[in-house]
Amino acid sequence: MATPRPRTQGHAGPSMQDVAATAGVSLGTVSNVLNHPAKVSPATTQRVRDAIAALGFVRNDAARSLASGSNSSVGMVLADVENSLFIDMAYGAQEAARAEGLKLLLANAVCDMQFQDEYLDLFDESRVTGVLLAPMQDSSAGIARMRAHGRQIVLLNYAPRPGTCCSVLVNNENVGYLAARHLIDAGCTRLAYVSAHGDYQPVQDRRRGVRAAVEEAGPGVSLEEIDSGGLTTAHGHGTGRKLARRSADALPDGLVAVTDELAVGIIHELHTVAGISVPGQVAVVGCENNRTAGSADVPLTVVDSPGRLMGQAAMRLLLEEVSAGDRHRHATVVLEPELVVRSSTPR
Amino acid sequence: MATPRPRTQGHAGPSMQDVAATAGVSLGTVSNVLNHPAKVSPATTQRVRDAIAALGFVRNDAARSLASGSNSSVGMVLADVENSLFIDMAYGAQEAARAEGLKLLLANAVCDMQFQDEYLDLFDESRVTGVLLAPMQDSSAGIARMRAHGRQIVLLNYAPRPGTCCSVLVNNENVGYLAARHLIDAGCTRLAYVSAHGDYQPVQDRRRGVRAAVEEAGPGVSLEEIDSGGLTTAHGHGTGRKLARRSADALPDGLVAVTDELAVGIIHELHTVAGISVPGQVAVVGCENNRTAGSADVPLTVVDSPGRLMGQAAMRLLLEEVSAGDRHRHATVVLEPELVVRSSTPR
DNA sequence: CTGAAAGCGCTTACAG
DNA sequence: CTGAAAGCGCTTACAG
């Protein structure tokens, strides 16, 4: 119980060896107290715990994972921490990780592929239990790199090349379909789909769904596709201003914006600036349910993706893959979106 | 250049030993190629690089930091990833970290002290170069634990107990002052400060600033303090509804909301639901400049905190502390906020 | 239930 | 510029 003098050498803290000496037991016993408590007698356990407390001992995780060959963290690389869907996914993943005693480490790629690759490599070198990746662009190269190193990786919100890895997706075609369908049901006949080019998959998927709903509705309903030049609120403002200049009969009466930011920007210009009533003259649906969507100029009707469930599902797939080893078969989980009606569409 | 058969044993990848064997050099030389390239001849370097590529060798970071005693990551624990100020801080910290060749690992405590403590411990056990903590409550215990273990920690957006550690703060008193002062300058005479109890420091600091501005203005200006029971949009809605029931002359004409969410909720109820014009009848200022603030029912006038600069400053303080060793003296960096006028206040 | 020993995969002096 | 050796701090059989 005597407090031994702390190691003076640098700021290397006390080691398990020091704990063992203080407690008067062997190194292995200290390790057992920490990792296999059932193997140690209560009395010994207590002596060791006291020594740990007295010394302020902190396990060295590097030594631990080096010796054990395992690691209690999962790394998650997010293309964009500002997107609330991504935050929800991180939250769900964290819940599922904790349920297994694992920690979730986050890295923000700030929409930059170089950052994304660097963080993938960092997690790779850290020998994390596995990696979750929610990208905004094709990331086949990075995925292949991880897998070539034997590291498990699960993709979120972006379909991998078939058979490359596990993934959790939203049925984005249905996102587009539900959005357009809702407008059509509300009586809109001149729809527009506002989106931009680029390789962000959801854009294309949602477009297909929008088209499907319009075709299904028959000749009474038309579809215009508008290129906003980008996916942000600023691009929405630009698009909104252009639309506001049109004559009333050239204006779409129902608008599906591929991102909520686009929708919010458009509504601001149309409704607040130009006085074109939303949803009176133009109804607008967003495709994401961002945090901002509910508190916009006109609270936005959206098609919601279940981010938290996606995160949970991804973590479960990852852990299954890790434990299955060679028996593993890649799986894709597709979750369904849901319409959330607010004020930017009739009713 | 011959591709040797990959190790079949488990999924332990090739080691530096394997690389050395393939390249026909010794282990130390491989290490030098990786860590001290100048010490190795170009020809040898190339042979080693080829071997690394051929084998798909990935450094084992655990072994690396165990052997070297250092670690190239900084851990950052955020109380709430959904708060855009915190995201900005993370962004700034990441920039500053990269400038020094360090990676920033993020952990989201989801406003839960238990999570926060667990992640602090995780980073502690990982022997990260240092820790950045942006808490929402008093975290003295966790800070003391880190420091007792010799781990450097810098606090963001929350003042530590004096002399406990370095910190980067916003002058939150000035946040309150600027907000109130702006309202007074705009002609408001019946101010209210909407906030809630709890130990989130900015709430108290901003209150002091609001009071100071009102006192400075003299007897013509009054201040009411309203307890919203919490800091979220929902609490704002509740508060807004209560205010809307008041007679017109009992209504404050200028409102400082301690969080943007509160402000947005209040404005929604007042302006959009009850038809009480903002800023016509009631002017509203938020204290944070969240992402949502600009795209609210009425774009919100706010006092902005320089999150990115705060993150950069914190990372610099941390790295200074790490390199200074015993010569280090704790420092507090206080950055000044700035008024951003939008539509929720006159002009 | 306890202890002595080997080994995880690197880095770092140190000698050549 | 290169190579052999020690050691970082643990975990894990293995023998007692």
Side-chain angles (χ1 to χ4, degrees):
Chain A
M1 220 71 44
T3 339
R5 63 177 163 67
R7 290 249 222 107
T8 10
Q9 167 214 338
H11 49 43
S15 68
M16 269 177 55
Q17 195 59 265
D18 298 326
V19 173
T22 303
V25 299
S26 80
L27 221 198
T29 300
V30 177
S31 175
N32 280 336
V33 168
L34 260 21
N35 301 310
H36 310 283
K39 291 189 180 175
V40 186
S41 74
T44 306
T45 298
Q46 195 50 53
R47 286 225 309 289
V48 171
R49 295 213 174 288
D50 289 346
I52 288 175
L55 293 172
F57 167 71
V58 177
R59 262 146 124 150
N60 184 322
D61 198 58
R64 203 155 114 86
S65 56
L66 180 57
S68 72
S70 68
N71 185 304
S72 68
S73 300
V74 170
M76 185 171 193
V77 181
L78 301 172
D80 181 16
V81 173
E82 297 197 27
N83 185 319
S84 59
L85 173 62
F86 287 40
I87 291 180
D88 289 344
M89 295 189 297
Y91 187 75
Q94 178 160 274
E95 286 180 300
R98 281 177 60 88
E100 303 294 325
L102 292 168
K103 302 287 191 299
L104 215 222
L105 257 21
L106 260 28
N108 182 15
V110 294
C111 296
D112 180 321
M113 277 304 265
Q114 193 191 329
F115 279 66
Q116 181 176 304
D117 282 331
E118 286 183 15
Y119 278 113
L120 286 177
D121 290 342
L122 173 65
F123 286 136
D124 197 14
E125 294 182 0
S126 302
R127 301 288 194 273
V128 291
T129 294
V131 173
L132 260 32
L133 171 63
M136 300 253 275
Q137 302 170 45
D138 179 82
S139 303
S140 315
I143 296 165
R145 205 162 5 108
M146 294 298 108
R147 295 206 55 83
H149 300 159
R151 192 149 315 286
Q152 327 293 11
I153 182 167
V154 173
L155 217 55
L156 272 153
N157 202 38
Y158 208 97
R161 292 194 189 164
T164 339
C165 64
C166 285
S167 58
V168 177
L169 308 173
V170 176
N171 186 339
N172 266 312
E173 185 163 339
N174 201 21
V175 168
Y177 178 85
L178 288 175
R181 180 73 214 200
H182 171 61
L183 292 174
I184 294 166
D185 287 347
C188 298
T189 56
R190 299 185 311 280
L191 301 204
Y193 177 63
V194 184
S195 67
H197 292 118
D199 74 347
Y200 188 44
Q201 283 178 348
V203 172
Q204 283 113 57
D205 295 344
R206 291 168 191 166
R207 173 181 292 126
R208 272 202 306 282
V210 169
R211 285 178 180 168
V214 170
E215 274 169 32
E216 186 184 283
V221 177
S222 67
L223 175 65
E224 175 187 4
E225 305 198 4
I226 298 177
D227 186 345
S228 51
L231 303 178
T232 68
T233 305
H235 295 108
H237 286 147
T239 304
R241 274 193 293 272
K242 273 188 212 154
L243 283 171
R245 280 189 227 109
R246 294 192 184 181
S247 64
D249 57 322
L251 216 52
D253 58 2
L255 233 141
V256 177
V258 74
T259 64
D260 292 357
E261 289 209 4
L262 272 179
V264 166
I266 291 171
I267 290 178
H268 179 74
E269 289 295 330
L270 247 41
H271 182 90
T272 309
V273 177
I276 297 170
S277 161
V278 174
Q281 292 169 266
V282 183
V284 180
V285 184
C287 288
E288 301 184 305
N289 202 16
N290 273 357
R291 298 279 184 275
T292 56
S295 58
D297 289 31
V298 178
L300 190 66
T301 292
V302 295
V303 181
D304 176 66
S305 297
R308 193 166 146 191
L309 295 178
M310 292 171 71
Q312 291 176 343
M315 184 60 74
R316 288 203 204 97
L317 282 179
L318 182 65
L319 300 181
E320 275 168 36
E321 178 165 4
V322 167
S323 61
D326 292 341
R327 300 190 315 285
H328 174 77
R329 286 293 98 97
H330 292 318
T332 302
V333 172
V334 179
L335 297 177
E336 290 301 327
E338 202 176 272
L339 183 72
V340 177
V341 180
R342 290 196 277 246
S343 312
S344 66
T345 57
R347 200 95 347 150
Chain B
M1 221 68 46
T3 340
R5 63 176 163 67
R7 292 246 223 110
T8 11
Q9 167 216 336
H11 48 42
S15 67
M16 271 177 56
Q17 195 59 265
D18 298 324
V19 173
T22 302
V25 299
S26 80
L27 220 196
T29 300
V30 177
S31 176
N32 280 335
V33 169
L34 261 20
N35 301 310
H36 309 283
K39 292 189 180 175
V40 186
S41 74
T44 307
T45 298
Q46 195 50 51
R47 286 224 310 290
V48 171
R49 295 214 174 288
D50 289 346
I52 288 175
L55 292 173
F57 166 72
V58 177
R59 262 147 123 145
N60 184 322
D61 197 59
R64 205 155 113 86
S65 56
L66 180 58
S68 71
S70 67
N71 184 305
S72 68
S73 300
V74 170
M76 182 170 197
V77 181
L78 301 173
D80 181 16
V81 174
E82 297 197 27
N83 186 318
S84 59
L85 173 63
F86 286 41
I87 292 180
D88 290 344
M89 294 190 299
Y91 188 76
Q94 177 161 273
E95 286 180 300
R98 280 177 61 89
E100 303 295 324
L102 292 167
K103 303 287 190 298
L104 214 223
L105 257 19
L106 260 28
N108 181 15
V110 295
C111 296
D112 179 322
M113 277 304 265
Q114 194 190 328
F115 279 66
Q116 182 177 303
D117 282 332
E118 286 183 16
Y119 278 112
L120 286 176
D121 289 342
L122 174 65
F123 286 136
D124 197 14
E125 294 182 0
S126 301
R127 303 287 196 274
V128 291
T129 294
V131 173
L132 260 32
L133 171 63
M136 298 254 275
Q137 301 169 46
D138 178 82
S139 302
S140 315
I143 295 165
R145 205 159 8 105
M146 293 300 107
R147 294 206 56 83
H149 300 160
R151 192 149 314 286
Q152 328 292 10
I153 182 168
V154 173
L155 217 53
L156 272 153
N157 202 38
Y158 208 98
R161 292 194 190 162
T164 338
C165 63
C166 286
S167 58
V168 177
L169 308 173
V170 176
N171 186 341
N172 266 312
E173 184 162 338
N174 201 20
V175 168
Y177 178 86
L178 289 176
R181 179 75 214 199
H182 171 61
L183 292 174
I184 293 166
D185 287 346
C188 298
T189 55
R190 298 186 310 280
L191 300 206
Y193 177 63
V194 184
S195 67
H197 292 119
D199 73 349
Y200 188 44
Q201 283 177 349
V203 172
Q204 282 114 55
D205 295 344
R206 291 167 192 168
R207 172 181 293 124
R208 271 203 305 282
V210 169
R211 285 178 181 166
V214 169
E215 275 168 34
E216 185 184 284
V221 177
S222 67
L223 175 65
E224 174 188 5
E225 304 199 4
I226 299 177
D227 186 347
S228 50
L231 303 178
T232 70
T233 305
H235 295 108
H237 287 145
T239 304
R241 275 192 293 273
K242 272 188 214 156
L243 285 171
R245 280 189 226 109
R246 295 191 184 183
S247 64
D249 56 321
L251 215 54
D253 59 1
L255 233 141
V256 177
V258 74
T259 65
D260 292 357
E261 289 210 4
L262 272 179
V264 166
I266 291 171
I267 291 178
H268 179 74
E269 289 295 330
L270 247 41
H271 182 89
T272 310
V273 176
I276 297 170
S277 161
V278 174
Q281 292 169 266
V282 184
V284 181
V285 184
C287 289
E288 301 185 302
N289 202 14
N290 273 357
R291 299 282 183 273
T292 57
S295 57
D297 290 31
V298 178
L300 190 65
T301 291
V302 296
V303 182
D304 176 67
S305 297
R308 193 167 145 192
L309 295 179
M310 291 171 70
Q312 290 176 343
M315 183 61 73
R316 288 202 206 99
L317 282 179
L318 183 65
L319 299 182
E320 274 168 36
E321 178 165 4
V322 167
S323 62
D326 292 341
R327 299 190 315 286
H328 174 77
R329 287 289 100 98
H330 293 316
T332 301
V333 172
V334 179
L335 298 177
E336 289 302 327
E338 201 175 274
L339 183 72
V340 177
V341 179
R342 290 197 277 247
S343 313
S344 65
T345 55
R347 202 90 348 150

